[in-house]
Amino acid sequence: MALNLVVKIHPVVLFQIVDAYERRNADSHRVIGTLLGTADKGVVEVTNCFCVPHKEHADQVEAELNYAMDVYELNRRVNASESIVGWWATGNEVTNHSSVIHEYYARECREPVHVTVDTSLAGARMGLRGYVCAALGVPGGKQGCMFTPVDVQLARYEPEVGALRLCSKTVGGRGRQVQPGGDLALVADASGRLGSLLEQVLQYVDEVVAGRASPHNAVGRQLLELVNSVPNMAADTFATAFNASVKDSLMVVTLAQLIKTQLQLNEKLTLLTSQ
């Protein structure tokens, strides 16, 4: 069953791994750490991680396991749903010391996964691979293990998608910092992207109808599901519901601004009375 695992990694985990690699000691060739998340029905979802200080020698590995357990216990106080699901290491290959480190994590969780992240960006990409340790040997004889690749996918929440789009605005530009826009600006940006995607869909449909492009069954099924998911209502009914939703959103924004102003006034009055 372990060979059928699917590992889903969130972008925040990759950011933490890259940050740990950039902050490594000068004499460290690679960085390792613990993966945190959930495991259920053949799917391991990695939502968090942390670095574990270690040193690798020719014949042994030294890791600060007490530090790792202390950080894990602190994380459990903040998010009790996250547990140890495996470990990660920078680089694009499994080394001789990987089996020793994997034995420790096999005592901390059942069927731990091992994820490697190629921070050297070989091939202009961040290589991401996942492994599980499969037992080898014959009954009553010498036993061993082998790291077997498993499927690795990128998962994301909606807030993470917004953060990634905001970070992508710094690519190719002179500025290394970017400020998040307002709510209306985000809505306008999302509407623009949606309009561009609809134009591509309409162009594809026109090409297929005109016979200039070959149809794809998978695309057709997805378009059919998209059309069926749209509620069947008249244009004026949709406009009324949309305007009501916009009014509710504006009311929430107004109330939030009023609460913010009240808190600022309360803070200033408190400082004046304390003096």
Side-chain angles (χ1 to χ4, degrees), residues 181-195 242 246 249-250 253:
D183 295 337
L184 294 179
L186 294 177
V187 172
D189 189 18
S191 301
R193 291 195 304 270
L194 180 60
F242 179 78
V246 171
S249 300
L250 292 176
V253 172

Side-chain angles (χ1 to χ4, degrees), residues 10-12 38 45-47 82 155-164:
H10 285 260
V12 66
T38 58
E45 187 171 0
V46 183
T47 56
E82 291 181 346
R156 69 275 184 195
Y157 299 127
E158 288 299 328
E160 292 177 333
V161 175
L164 290 175

Side-chain angles (χ1 to χ4, degrees):
M1 294 297 295
L3 300 180
N4 297 325
L5 284 177
V6 176
V7 182
K8 296 184 178 181
I9 302 178
H10 285 260
V12 66
V13 178
L14 300 180
F15 278 112
Q16 289 176 298
I17 293 176
V18 173
D19 181 70
Y21 180 77
E22 292 294 330
R23 297 174 184 270
R24 73 190 188 280
N25 295 329
D27 56 345
S28 299
H29 298 287
R30 72 168 184 166
V31 186
I32 67 172
T34 302
L35 296 175
L36 303 176
T38 58
D40 184 33
K41 297 180 180 179
V43 177
V44 177
E45 187 171 0
V46 183
T47 56
N48 199 357
C49 72
F50 60 86
C51 178
V52 177
H54 84 296
K55 293 182 180 180
E56 297 187 15
H57 305 281
D59 55 348
Q60 64 179 352
V61 179
E62 298 178 0
E64 298 184 12
L65 302 181
N66 293 332
Y67 170 85
M69 293 307 301
D70 292 340
V71 175
Y72 174 62
E73 291 298 332
L74 291 174
N75 186 82
R76 290 279 292 180
R77 296 181 182 180
V78 178
N79 193 347
S81 62
E82 291 181 346
S83 58
I84 298 177
V85 295
W87 64 288
W88 58 268
T90 57
N92 57 356
E93 60 182 6
V94 178
T95 65
N96 296 330
H97 300 309
S98 297
S99 58
V100 179
I101 303 174
H102 199 83
E103 288 180 2
Y104 163 74
Y105 284 95
R107 297 192 297 266
E108 299 297 329
C109 65
R110 182 174 177 270
E111 295 181 353
V113 297
H114 174 39
V115 175
T116 60
V117 181
D118 186 10
T119 50
S120 64
L121 299 180
R125 292 182 61 87
M126 182 179 293
L128 188 62
R129 298 179 181 179
Y131 303 89
V132 293
C133 194
L136 296 177
V138 295
K142 188 174 182 180
Q143 299 290 327
C145 64
M146 179 181 65
F147 284 93
T148 305
V150 294
D151 186 20
V152 178
Q153 302 176 2
L154 291 178
R156 69 275 184 195
Y157 299 127
E158 288 299 328
E160 292 177 333
V161 175
L164 290 175
R165 288 173 179 169
L166 186 64
C167 292
S168 64
K169 294 182 180 180
T170 62
V171 178
R174 295 182 179 180
R176 303 296 297 177
Q177 296 181 355
V178 59
Q179 297 295 331
D183 295 337
L184 294 179
L186 294 177
V187 172
D189 189 18
S191 301
R193 291 195 304 270
L194 180 60
S196 177
L197 293 175
L198 289 176
E199 290 179 0
Q200 295 180 11
V201 172
L202 292 175
Q203 182 180 1
Y204 169 75
V205 173
D206 293 338
E207 293 287 338
V208 173
V209 172
R212 294 189 295 268
S214 59
H216 297 277
N217 294 332
V219 178
R221 286 193 294 269
Q222 292 181 358
L223 291 177
L224 181 61
E225 293 177 358
L226 178 63
V227 173
N228 292 332
S229 63
V230 177
N232 188 11
M233 62 176 62
D236 54 349
T237 305
F238 175 79
T240 302
F242 179 78
N243 291 332
S245 177
V246 171
K247 292 178 181 178
D248 293 340
S249 300
L250 292 176
M251 182 180 296
V252 171
V253 172
T254 303
L255 290 176
Q257 293 294 335
L258 289 175
I259 294 173
K260 182 179 180 180
T261 304
Q262 291 283 350
L263 292 174
Q264 291 176 350
L265 289 175
N266 183 41
E267 181 180 359
K268 292 182 178 180
L269 290 175
T270 304
L271 291 175
L272 290 175
T273 55
S274 62
Q275 294 176 356

